[in-house]
Amino acid sequence: MGGALQEVGRAGRPTRFAPLPRALSLDAASAVALGLVVVGLGGFVVLPVARVLVEPGWAEWGRLLTQPRYLRLAGNTLLIAALSTVSAVAVGFLFAFATSRPDVPGRTLFKLVAILPLVSPPFVGGLAFILLFGRRGVITHSLLGLSGDIYGWHGVWLVQTLAFFPIAYLTLAGVLRRINPTLEYAAQDLGARGFARFRTVTLPLALPGLASAALLVGIYTLSDFGNPMLVGGPFKVLATETYTQVTGWGDLGTAAALSTALLVPSLMLFCLQRYALEGRGSHATVTGKGSFPAPPPTSPLLRGLLVAGCGLVALVLVATYAGVFVGAFARTWGVDWRFTIDNFEYTVFRGRQLWNSVRFAALAAAGGAVFAVLAAFLLQRGRFPGRAVLDFAAVLPGALPGTLLGVAYILAFNTPPLALTGTAAIVVAAMLFRTLPVGYRAAVAALAQIAPSIEESAADLGARPIRTLRDITLPLIRAAFTSAVVFTFVRSMNTLSAVVFLVSPGTVVASASILALAEHGDWGQASAMAASLMTAAFIVLLGFRLATGGRVRLFEL
């Protein structure tokens, strides 16, 4: 999978270069830096997770394992995750295959549309579907006069499919791009054409990518909170029940048990995905680099089917996001369509939620990028006891459901010596460590491209490890560092599942505000906040592209 998002799953891959013995001779500065990394990972990753694991007692586990209600919730969670994963991977493969064929018209447009859900809050799709297909939806109610609505398992399935198929698309686009077309030409010369060529050559070579994409999408669908909360209606899953237990009943023990139950399958998928990416058991048959010829031309029938399939998905996606912006400027959704900016006045200009999101995400992005680079340098360039444990702790948040992290932070930081509950610091810390694997793995990948001899030369000239990092290594990995900052900022702006447990009056962020407004039926204001959040993210991405001249890409497209 290309891009920064892919790096979340590439955990624990050892660097291919030898360590730098003299660079980490633990002078005072490097010892302090290593101490900061240990305290950060131990205090904000390992300790909260351990706290949530030991919180439930026998009574909570007994209820969770015996009461039919909780068993039904677990079944709902696994069912919807399985359905959404299959459909999201299928749609992702459709887009990846279409955009890998140079003779398919509209492939550039399909690439752009496919990344829309990645730079917007994942639950915005749920909000948009309510506006279009809900009880007062424009399409279902106003145009078609239908009485049905989107609430229920079918709505969650549809929304999650559209929200998470880009993850599968990015994975599979990289896989299909690396398949040498000469194999397809060889199969064609031997008489395998059309579907026979696809079945015997393309599909088998893409199977490892399909498995990796399914595991990665499965992690996201299992832990998804916003979409089931918005469009689930009576259909509940473990993530939404965890939220209810905390906000409705104040029962942290049951919430911790539910979060732990959600962690088990997520951690299994995470470990399996790491195993797949590290190539153990891989049956890849394409190796080496070089120039490839263009893939064989597609038949007119296949080309038409690809354009029709991708075009339909693209049309639905564009309509959903357009619905959010239209709703933001309408007086009353579905009733009064006159133009107004009142929704922005109430939610953006008077409130501080959007401003909180921007400044908290900026702090998390800057701090997270520095922490990630420092941790990657120390852990990948040195040898000391516990290095593997710290490396795993740095990527572990990629496997943690957001609801678990939120509950864990409540339990860990509600009492002295580090009482952070109710402060902005706990929200920033949750954003920082929730997205840490992105920056860490990006830094590890960049470090793997730098020969240690360069840093050894600096050490021979008397440079201390931290100065070597500042003067030699950091300039060489500047592109990866910048990408990590921008990607972490966008994801922090959009995050919901962890911070929704941690916000308090004065620290409410835009994503949590959208959920609250939607729950109260304030569709116009919710749309205004969502539109503002997406606009801010696109402005940041545009600024990043202008600043880098398009030389650095967040998504490998």
Side-chain angles (χ1 to χ4, degrees):
M1 177 180 182
L5 185 64
Q6 180 186 14
E7 303 301 339
V8 177
R10 291 180 175 174
R13 179 184 295 179
T15 176
R16 58 180 176 172
F17 293 116
L20 188 62
R22 281 174 294 175
L24 292 181
S25 55
L26 289 185
D27 63 304
S30 59
V32 170
L34 183 59
L36 287 175
V37 171
V38 172
V39 170
L41 294 176
F44 290 92
V45 177
V46 178
L47 176 63
V49 172
R51 187 71 178 81
V52 81
L53 292 178
V54 301
E55 177 65 18
W58 290 112
E60 285 82 9
W61 282 117
R63 285 198 299 273
L64 191 65
L65 296 174
T66 58
Q67 290 191 4
R69 177 166 172 268
Y70 293 122
L71 296 177
R72 187 172 63 253
L73 292 175
N76 289 347
T77 303
L78 295 176
L79 172 66
I80 200 64
L83 289 174
S84 299
T85 298
V86 171
S87 53
V89 171
V91 177
F93 186 83
L94 174 70
F95 269 72
F97 187 78
T99 55
S100 70
R101 304 288 143 168
D103 57 345
V104 172
R107 54 197 292 265
T108 303
L109 174 65
F110 296 149
K111 288 180 180 180
L112 294 175
V113 170
I115 66 170
L116 274 178
L118 292 177
V119 296
S120 63
F123 56 90
V124 164
L127 172 64
F129 267 73
I130 292 173
L131 298 176
L132 297 178
F133 304 106
R135 298 187 179 98
R136 301 288 299 180
V138 171
I139 295 178
T140 51
H141 177 77
S142 301
L143 295 180
L144 303 178
L146 300 176
S147 57
D149 59 54
I150 196 175
Y151 296 99
W153 69 270
H154 55 291
V156 178
W157 181 20
L158 181 58
V159 172
Q160 284 189 340
T161 298
L162 294 177
F164 298 119
F165 90 84
I167 297 170
Y169 161 68
L170 288 179
T171 303
L172 293 166
V175 171
L176 293 178
R177 190 167 52 242
R178 293 182 181 90
I179 292 178
N180 192 337
T182 56
L183 296 174
E184 297 183 78
Y185 282 112
Q188 188 171 288
D189 292 342
L190 294 173
R193 296 179 180 275
F195 183 73
R197 186 181 64 201
F198 173 80
R199 180 177 59 80
T200 56
V201 177
T202 309
L203 186 59
L205 292 175
L207 278 179
L210 283 168
S212 179
L215 294 169
L216 195 59
V217 173
I219 295 173
Y220 280 83
T221 54
L222 267 174
S223 59
D224 184 30
F225 165 76
N227 289 314
M229 197 73 191
L230 280 175
V231 300
F235 182 80
K236 303 294 183 184
V237 295
L238 289 176
T240 56
E241 181 63 19
T242 301
Y243 179 73
T244 302
Q245 290 294 329
V246 173
T247 59
W249 303 96
D251 187 348
L252 290 176
T254 301
L258 291 168
S259 299
T260 304
L262 196 56
L263 173 65
V264 174
S266 295
L267 202 54
M268 290 175 60
L269 293 176
F270 179 73
C271 293
L272 285 172
Q273 210 252 347
R274 285 186 60 183
Y275 182 85
L277 283 176
E278 287 174 359
R280 298 170 189 170
S282 170
H283 53 279
T285 58
V286 179
T287 58
K289 297 181 179 179
S291 58
F292 292 158
T298 55
S299 67
L301 175 61
L302 177 60
R303 203 157 51 240
L305 291 175
L306 292 173
V307 172
C310 293
L312 178 62
V313 175
L315 182 64
V316 173
L317 273 177
V318 171
T320 56
Y321 287 98
V324 171
F325 281 89
V326 171
F329 290 101
R331 287 184 181 275
T332 306
W333 181 265
V335 178
D336 187 349
W337 295 102
R338 285 181 296 172
F339 178 85
T340 181
I341 60 170
D342 289 349
N343 294 321
F344 289 92
E345 182 180 356
Y346 288 127
T347 57
V348 178
F349 301 132
R350 293 185 183 178
R352 295 180 57 84
Q353 295 90 339
L354 186 62
W355 169 238
N356 284 343
S357 288
V358 172
R359 62 193 183 109
F360 293 168
L363 289 172
V370 171
F371 187 90
V373 169
L374 190 61
F377 179 76
L378 294 171
L379 299 183
Q380 300 301 318
R381 289 296 200 240
R383 287 190 183 279
F384 46 83
R387 187 174 69 93
V389 175
L390 292 174
D391 180 77
F392 183 76
V395 297
L396 180 61
L400 299 179
T403 51
L404 181 141
L405 195 67
V407 173
Y409 271 40
I410 293 176
L411 293 170
F413 303 120
N414 199 37
T415 56
L418 202 56
L420 299 177
T421 303
T423 67
I426 195 171
V427 180
V428 175
M431 290 178 172
L432 190 159
F433 287 96
R434 175 96 170 118
T435 55
L436 176 64
V438 175
Y440 177 74
R441 296 314 303 174
V444 169
L447 284 172
Q449 305 301 317
I450 301 174
S453 59
I454 299 176
E455 295 159 338
E456 289 172 349
S457 299
D460 290 340
L461 294 174
R464 299 287 185 181
I466 297 301
R467 184 175 181 183
T468 301
L469 170 64
R470 185 193 65 191
D471 294 343
I472 304 296
T473 308
L474 195 57
L476 293 174
I477 63 172
R478 184 172 49 197
F481 179 81
T482 308
S483 299
V485 170
V486 175
F487 192 87
T488 303
F489 176 81
V490 173
R491 297 305 295 176
S492 297
M493 284 267 291
N494 297 333
T495 189
L496 171 67
S497 55
V499 300
V500 73
F501 294 92
L502 307 174
V503 295
S504 58
T507 64
V508 178
V509 294
S511 57
S513 178
I514 293 171
L515 179 65
L517 291 167
E519 285 184 315
H520 288 89
D522 296 327
W523 304 117
Q525 296 180 14
S527 299
M529 187 67 79
S532 302
L533 201 59
M534 287 189 291
T535 302
F538 280 116
I539 290 174
V540 171
L541 292 175
L542 180 62
F544 172 75
R545 184 170 181 80
L546 292 176
T548 61
R551 294 185 298 274
V552 181
R553 297 182 178 181
L554 286 178
F555 309 102
E556 195 69 33
L557 295 176

